[in-house]
Amino acid sequence: MERIWLEHYPKGVPADITDQAAAYASLADLFEESCRRYAHNTAYISMGATMSYARIHEKAQAFAAWLQSQGVDKGERVALMMPNLLQYPICLFGTLMAGAVVVNTNPLYTPHELHHQLSDSGATTVVVAENFAGTLQQAMPGTDVKRVVVTSLGEMLGFPKSLITDLVVRHVKNMVPAWHIPGALRLRQALEQGARAPYRRPALSHEDLAALQYTGGTTGVAKGAMLSHGNLLANVCQAYAWVRPYCTGDRECIVTALPLYHIFALTANCLTFMRMGASNLLIVNPRDIPGFVKELGKVKFTALTGVNTLFNALLNNPDFSKLDFSGLNLTLGGGMAVQEAIAQRWLKITGKPIAQAYGLTETSPAVTINPFDKVDFNGSIGLPVPSTDVAVRTDNRAMAIGESGEICVKGPQVMTGYWNRPEETAKAFDADGWLMTGDIGYMNDKGYVFLLDRKKDMILVSGFNVYPNEVEAAAIEHPGILEAAAVGVPNGASGEAVKLYVIRKDPTLTEAEVIAHCRTLLTGYKVPKFVEFRDELPRSNVGKILRKELRNQDAAAGGQDVSRPA
């Protein structure tokens, strides 16, 4: 297919990254090269403590040697269950250096969710922050887990206790002392043992599995996307090629508020910025916005990634606008649609635009990214990254420019399949080998891709398609609305109607005022028929609002709008 987008690439971005990715046999090679080249640079900053590239390599190799000393073989799965602590990159890179496969695990999983992931992946080793040991203890029976390593918030560098405040503790659940898990070992002990054990470098190639990244939990049974070393290396090189022209060298400092166990932060923050020797400011608890803003005030940050809800929360904190943004080179938004009103406020306060991007767990994740120097928010999800083909297809045929259909992807970053699920893998690709994303959108004549919505979230009102993103974007233009989520609910003859869930800024805001506001911006069939006010909305681990949960809650309530009398 013709790559019409190449003519509109930012200056300095190559069309192909094949040779760049081929320079590394594995992610372990990339990690070790960065640690050699930037040995004295600060790699991570966390709660006032820092760790250099040399130090993190030393610790990671010790963890790798410990895994090998315990009989962990190449390809064996190691689950990591912790928030953004210094321990995470140590165990991540140590696992990769041992030739094992990383199974990233959300520490806020329920025991049921965790049991499924451990059983499905066949993980034999788990590293867990002790605050979540209770969940692990309940989830372990019936799994293949043989060894558990536990770590505390301040264990790694001997933090002063004064640094381990209720900033984190008041937001974590299931706090159970580590010694309640029989046979559990402290991470500190594992690293001490590993430092005395021999390390054997495994033979790794692009074809070897690097990570099982679970996805689909909001739409069905969670599946493990198999991401090879080649997949992740390709996406790192693609992202690096895109951001490098906007960066100033190895003195970058990227803010990592999204969890590193999520594919967005893993690739964009941890791996891509590692390649340039940058520092990662780890935010343990981004939901504590005042604490988050306080941490931002301590460093000269140059890059920040986030989702729309995070940007919105920061903008609504009065101290955020007082920060020094003079070093900020780029802001990357993904995970969910960035709303124009939020992007405009971000530009006004920080002086830098939000570059909206798009990706999937199955694509490691980056597929498209906007140029970082485009001040005007165009609403697109960007141009396809190097070595990537994007097409809009319906029924195995390509749609014309401007016509909507399912966004489909080909490229070296596309997963090898779903772990132990050949039927699900077959469903993910069409007859021509395109990964079908399940997202509806179109491409313009310059190659910019525009996302309309998830196929499963689309609302059908009297035969007309309504895209929740459009309704939500219109709603939040009202000054009394903080956040909004639109879903389809059953509605007699019209099939479905739009229901809007709203978190208010103005406590006096009424349902009638919301509907009247939307009517000024949306055609009749798109206007919400029902409005329900909420104090909070269900969210994913990166803060994305879960529309499926809202639909389920509405169905459980009998489909009635609880903001009105029955």
Side-chain angles (χ1 to χ4, degrees):
M1 64 177 295
E2 183 183 1
R3 294 177 171 177
I4 59 176
W5 49 85
L6 294 179
E7 296 179 19
H8 305 283
Y9 262 21
K11 185 178 180 180
V13 177
D16 188 86
I17 51 80
T18 304
D19 291 343
Q20 291 184 43
Y24 306 99
S26 68
L27 289 172
D29 279 0
L30 174 59
F31 170 65
E32 292 191 301
E33 181 195 85
S34 294
C35 290
R36 286 193 300 269
R37 179 176 295 180
Y38 306 111
H40 300 296
N41 285 16
T42 296
Y44 291 94
I45 305 166
S46 176
M47 294 186 287
T50 62
M51 183 173 284
S52 69
Y53 277 87
R55 183 72 166 163
I56 199 158
H57 180 267
E58 173 191 331
K59 296 290 186 182
Q61 182 167 304
F63 186 66
W66 179 81
L67 288 173
Q68 291 176 337
S69 73
Q70 299 300 302
V72 174
D73 296 324
K74 176 182 173 181
E76 202 163 319
R77 275 76 65 206
V78 176
L80 306 181
M81 186 177 175
M82 64 191 94
N84 287 358
L85 304 176
L86 288 172
Q87 295 91 313
Y88 176 85
I90 289 171
C91 296
L92 168 76
F93 292 116
T95 299
L96 295 171
M97 289 177 70
V101 177
V102 174
V103 181
N104 278 309
T105 304
N106 183 351
L108 294 180
Y109 271 161
T110 64
H112 174 77
E113 292 168 322
L114 179 59
H115 178 84
H116 166 73
Q117 186 166 321
L118 294 177
S119 298
D120 189 75
S121 66
T124 59
T125 304
V126 181
V127 184
V128 60
E130 65 180 358
N131 309 75
F132 311 99
T135 302
L136 176 60
Q137 189 173 19
Q138 295 175 63
M140 280 174 56
T143 70
D144 294 329
V145 175
K146 300 175 183 176
R147 56 194 74 85
V148 175
V149 179
V150 293
T151 187
S152 61
L153 297 176
E155 178 180 22
M156 246 1 278
L157 293 178
F159 295 155
K161 287 185 178 180
S162 60
L163 290 175
I164 312 304
T165 67
D166 66 348
L167 169 67
V168 176
V169 173
R170 71 173 184 256
H171 289 278
V172 296
K173 303 174 182 178
N174 302 323
M175 293 186 66
V176 174
W179 52 84
H180 281 194
I181 298 181
L185 187 71
R186 302 294 306 188
L187 179 59
R188 180 186 65 254
Q189 295 171 305
L191 295 179
E192 289 171 353
Q193 293 175 17
R196 298 190 296 268
Y199 167 64
R200 304 177 304 280
R201 179 188 297 273
L204 294 170
S205 70
H206 283 206
E207 288 68 43
D208 285 310
L209 188 60
L212 288 181
Q213 200 73 26
Y214 276 77
T215 184
T218 61
T219 56
V221 176
K223 305 178 290 288
M226 296 189 291
L227 302 181
S228 67
H229 283 269
N231 292 151
L232 287 162
L233 280 169
N235 210 226
V236 168
C237 291
Q238 290 163 332
Y240 178 86
W242 201 269
V243 304
R244 192 68 186 86
Y246 303 96
C247 296
T248 55
D250 63 353
R251 299 304 176 189
E252 296 291 321
C253 178
I254 185 163
V255 179
T256 302
L258 301 180
L260 286 169
Y261 58 78
H262 189 275
I263 191 63
F264 184 2
L266 175 64
T267 300
N269 296 48
C270 180
L271 299 177
T272 301
F273 277 79
M274 176 191 71
R275 189 181 175 193
M276 66 180 72
S279 301
N280 254 281
L281 172 64
L282 300 181
I283 304 300
V284 180
N285 178 28
R287 296 190 181 191
D288 179 358
I289 296 298
F292 182 4
V293 173
K294 187 176 180 180
E295 290 298 306
L296 290 176
K298 297 176 182 178
V299 298
K300 185 84 167 182
F301 58 94
T302 64
L304 189 150
T305 62
V307 296
N308 188 76
T309 49
L310 179 66
F311 298 138
N312 190 23
L314 288 171
L315 291 168
N316 283 291
N317 180 275
D319 293 326
F320 180 71
S321 61
K322 301 173 186 176
L323 295 174
D324 178 10
F325 299 105
S326 62
L328 184 61
N329 295 323
L330 57 93
T331 305
L332 181 66
M336 63 186 297
V338 175
Q339 295 165 332
E340 184 174 4
I342 302 300
Q344 289 175 345
R345 289 179 62 201
W346 187 270
L347 177 62
K348 182 178 180 180
I349 288 178
T350 70
K352 294 290 183 179
I354 295 175
Q356 188 169 203
Y358 167 76
L360 307 161
T361 301
E362 291 88 343
T363 56
S364 305
V367 173
T368 61
I369 310 177
N370 268 286
F372 289 100
D373 53 5
K374 298 290 185 183
V375 174
D376 295 330
F377 185 79
N378 61 12
S380 85
I381 52 175
L383 302 168
V385 295
S387 297
T388 301
D389 288 316
V390 173
V392 178
R393 294 167 65 84
T394 299
D395 297 328
N396 293 332
R397 64 182 181 88
M399 307 301 289
I401 294 296
E403 290 186 343
S404 63
E406 185 167 2
I407 297 171
C408 298
V409 184
K410 283 185 179 180
Q413 73 272 44
V414 175
M415 67 170 184
T416 61
Y418 293 117
W419 178 255
N420 289 336
R421 294 179 185 271
E423 292 183 0
E424 293 290 336
T425 300
K427 291 178 185 176
F429 295 88
D430 73 7
D432 296 321
W434 290 91
L435 175 71
M436 298 183 292
T437 67
D439 291 317
I440 304 299
Y442 66 92
M443 183 182 291
N444 71 9
D445 58 359
K446 295 181 180 179
Y448 282 88
V449 182
F450 291 78
L451 181 66
L452 296 174
D453 231 306
R454 290 289 299 170
K455 184 189 294 185
K456 293 182 179 181
D457 285 340
M458 192 166 63
I459 305 167
L460 195 65
V461 179
S462 298
F464 292 96
N465 292 339
V466 178
Y467 298 103
N469 283 339
E470 183 182 7
V471 179
E472 292 160 4
I476 70 156
E477 290 193 27
H478 192 291
I481 294 178
L482 179 65
E483 286 187 298
V487 302
V489 295
N491 192 57
S494 68
E496 286 186 305
V498 179
K499 180 172 181 177
L500 191 70
Y501 291 85
V502 172
I503 297 179
R504 290 180 279 203
K505 280 185 185 177
D506 177 2
T508 67
L509 183 68
T510 67
E511 177 187 19
E513 289 171 331
V514 173
I515 292 175
H517 163 75
C518 290
R519 200 174 295 281
T520 66
L521 299 173
L522 300 168
T523 192
Y525 66 88
K526 298 178 184 178
V527 175
K529 187 176 181 67
F530 307 106
V531 176
E532 181 176 330
F533 296 111
R534 291 280 189 94
D535 293 328
E536 58 183 24
L537 297 170
R539 301 174 190 275
S540 72
N541 53 357
V542 295
K544 179 179 179 180
I545 295 170
L546 300 176
R547 295 179 185 137
K548 181 183 178 183
E549 289 297 313
L550 291 171
R551 290 195 296 268
N552 289 344
Q553 290 170 13
D554 185 83
Q560 297 176 339
D561 176 38
V562 298
S563 68
R564 299 174 167 186

